[in-house]
Amino acid sequence: MHGSEHPLREDRGPVRYGPPAPDPGLPVLPELAAVLAAAAARPRPEPPGGGTILREAARAYWERRSLRGGPEDIVAAPGAQPLVFALIAAYGGDVIMPRPCPAGWMPQARLLGRPAYHVPTPAECGGIPDPYALLETVRRVRAEGGRPRLLLISVADDPTATLAPPELVREACEAAVSEGLHIVSDETWRDTLHRPHDTVVLSPAEMCPDDVTVVTDLAGALTPSAWPVAVARFPATARAAARRARVLDILTALGAVVAEPVARAAAHALREPEAVTDRIRLAAGLQSEVASAAHRAVLTAGALARPPQAGRHLYADLGPLRTRLAARGVTDSLELEEYLSERLGAPAPGGHRFGDELGALRVRLSTGPLLGSTPEQQMESLTAVEPLKLPHVARALSIFAAALDELR
């Protein structure tokens, strides 16, 4: 049994592993809505891989993050899922990924018929495999006749909402490159750091520029999830250019092109005008406060979770509450997902969606529903000096804490 396989639930059929529904996030920034509306009458999609305006905006975005290159090194797609799918297909071979990992990775490898192997992450963070475990896994897979070729990682991680320390990123990347793996670094959440002045993001592409392709889904921080667009930055090498051409062929065959109005709005967001950077800063500050409160509620109930550092969710381990959960008929992460989704009134995807074992009682808890149920409440949360004192936020946090506290 390789790392992407799980047992079936005989009593309920196959376990559901597909990606959970995306968090809709905060209301659309009016400036972005205006850009999209101005381009709404354009009837044609962007060419496969994105047009010049979008790719140039992505190039400048990455250059501001010390990743230099040209627009010819960039490919755009309608969301991260088709982009990662095309990358896995283009690079061939077996896939290595951390456990847990973003929910879209396993289904894409499985759809392509690629063996996928999970490597445990270290205690301090998710998203990056333990370097020694990575080396052991690669050598074991090769000894068994496998062909590991690709490592997928996320420095600012979904689902754990943690940030990998630079020294760990360096060690893991050096281990991967030494074994001939190409690295795909998902950096979707790097602009959502809760305390950006206290943390350092180090992209693997800064350390191993010829061996890393960077992927960013703009829905992480820049655009609404309903406007799907993601971009990939390839190394500036002849070998990478051939892989990029293969990715373009796959996206073309899939018809995976970005709508031009969405591309114009995405390009505007990638240029990071003041309105966009202000929204990112306010949203990160709000998520920091709400996620910290949710984290305290998880720990108070006796469960475990790493402190969230980025994004709009946290990853909780309810294993210490197993006995109380079993009394309620909850014995695995699928049942935990159903139980907590009903209790919280919001999706709570179980750890099986993120590559964790079905028997582990882990769940990703979104902080988005804690911000309010209407655009007006969400905007009030965004601009409040003390958002936790707002009635709708306090009430949502109370319901959240009560659902966990009853398991003590």
Side-chain angles (χ1 to χ4, degrees):
M1 178 184 293
H2 65 66
S4 67
E5 293 176 342
H6 290 263
L8 299 183
R9 288 290 304 279
E10 294 181 358
D11 56 336
R12 303 171 70 170
V15 176
R16 297 188 296 275
Y17 296 111
D23 187 333
L26 293 164
V28 177
L29 187 66
E31 184 170 315
L32 289 183
V35 173
L36 185 135
R42 298 180 182 273
R44 291 190 296 271
E46 295 272 286
T52 302
I53 293 174
L54 177 57
R55 289 185 291 111
E56 173 58 30
R59 180 207 64 78
Y61 166 89
W62 271 309
E63 186 170 282
R64 291 190 295 273
R65 288 153 180 80
S66 302
L67 299 178
R68 291 172 176 78
E72 69 277 5
D73 300 322
I74 291 168
V75 167
Q81 291 187 32
L83 190 52
V84 173
F85 179 90
L87 285 166
I88 294 174
Y91 277 90
D94 301 347
V95 185
I96 308 290
M97 58 186 74
R99 168 173 282 155
C101 64
W105 291 359
M106 281 198 312
Q108 290 165 351
R110 186 179 298 113
L111 187 61
L112 287 164
R114 298 288 168 77
Y117 299 89
H118 287 283
V119 181
T121 57
E124 63 263 37
C125 67
I128 304 292
D130 177 88
Y132 297 103
L134 173 62
L135 290 172
E136 180 183 347
T137 300
V138 170
R139 292 165 186 170
R140 174 178 57 82
V141 170
R142 286 198 176 122
E144 295 173 354
R147 297 186 307 118
R149 298 280 300 277
L150 198 64
L151 172 65
L152 306 183
I153 60 176
S154 53
V155 176
D157 184 42
D158 174 7
T160 66
T162 57
L163 183 69
E167 59 274 15
L168 175 62
V169 177
R170 182 178 300 278
E171 291 173 9
C173 290
E174 288 176 351
V177 172
S178 72
E179 292 294 331
L181 302 181
H182 186 78
I183 300 166
V184 173
S185 176
D186 185 339
E187 300 181 11
T188 293
W189 300 100
R190 67 170 295 162
D191 294 326
T192 68
L193 300 184
H194 295 173
R195 295 175 177 82
H197 299 298
D198 300 333
T199 48
V200 176
V201 179
L202 182 62
S203 171
E206 295 180 65
M207 296 175 295
C208 306
D210 294 342
D211 298 289
V212 178
T213 298
V214 179
V215 172
T216 296
D217 187 339
L218 272 63
L222 295 169
T223 61
S225 60
W227 303 357
V229 58
V231 287
R233 174 194 176 275
F234 288 78
T237 66
R239 185 176 183 181
R243 299 298 186 190
R244 177 182 176 274
R246 176 62 177 153
V247 167
L248 284 174
D249 287 344
I250 295 167
L251 292 174
T252 301
L254 294 173
V257 293
V258 182
E260 187 167 345
V262 172
R264 293 300 176 93
H268 185 80
L270 284 164
R271 296 187 194 102
E272 298 180 292
E274 185 176 359
V276 170
T277 56
D278 284 349
R279 167 60 72 86
I280 292 172
R281 176 181 53 81
L282 288 172
L286 172 61
Q287 292 291 351
S288 175
E289 291 200 47
V290 174
S292 293
H295 182 247
R296 289 192 296 271
V298 169
L299 298 185
T300 299
L304 304 173
R306 297 183 180 104
Q309 297 173 282
R312 41 185 183 255
H313 49 266
L314 67 157
Y315 199 62
D317 182 354
L318 275 64
L321 308 176
R322 182 177 294 275
T323 301
R324 295 296 298 272
L325 284 165
R328 290 165 169 77
V330 177
T331 61
D332 61 29
S333 65
L334 176 59
E335 292 167 344
L336 180 62
E337 173 181 309
E338 295 174 347
Y339 175 81
L340 282 180
S341 295
E342 181 179 355
R343 294 289 293 118
L344 296 173
H352 59 281
R353 295 182 183 267
F354 308 102
D356 258 329
E357 294 295 340
L358 183 64
L361 293 173
R362 300 191 182 105
V363 63
R364 194 185 72 175
L365 300 169
S366 175
T367 55
L370 304 176
L371 307 182
S373 58
T374 67
E376 292 76 19
Q377 288 182 343
Q378 293 164 354
M379 287 305 298
E380 186 180 8
S381 299
L382 186 67
T383 56
V385 176
E386 296 182 292
L388 300 186
K389 294 185 177 180
L390 293 173
H392 62 270
V393 174
R395 183 168 56 253
L397 280 168
S398 177
I399 294 171
F400 180 90
L404 296 168
D405 200 51
E406 69 181 17
L407 299 172
R408 293 175 66 184

